[in-house]
Amino acid sequence: MGQWRGLAAPKGTPQDVIKTLHNAFKKGMEDPAFVKNAQDMTVNLAYMGPVEFGKVMAADHDRYAKLVQEIKKQ
């Protein structure tokens, strides 16, 4: 199990804005100084683009919704 962090924008945000944000954050996460700092703090980085990250968020939403329902039964 891991923990993710991400950037989100309101539904309907123009694709050019999404692309600009994606490119800027991807560039920042690939910066050698940032990568070194993350490694020094034992943080494993894994960048996902907007579509892939959206799928992860949706899957986690479903997984935790089911878990909450199971907990409520107890």
Side-chain angles (χ1 to χ4, degrees):
M1 179 177 252
Q3 189 178 60
W4 50 258
R5 301 281 191 279
L7 178 68
K11 185 175 184 176
T13 299
Q15 283 302 308
D16 61 325
V17 173
I18 300 294
K19 184 176 181 178
T20 298
L21 292 169
H22 159 72
N23 291 343
F25 275 82
K26 187 171 188 327
K27 182 178 177 181
M29 285 189 66
E30 292 173 344
D31 179 85
F34 180 79
V35 171
K36 182 181 181 325
N37 285 335
Q39 289 171 341
D40 290 348
M41 294 185 294
T42 63
V43 174
N44 295 318
L45 299 174
Y47 184 82
M48 293 180 216
V51 173
E52 185 180 8
F53 185 57
K55 290 177 183 177
V56 168
M57 289 177 63
D60 278 358
H61 176 78
D62 292 343
R63 177 181 13 244
Y64 290 113
K66 290 175 186 172
L67 179 62
V68 167
Q69 292 305 316
E70 286 299 316
I71 291 170
K72 284 182 177 181
K73 291 179 186 177
Q74 298 177 8

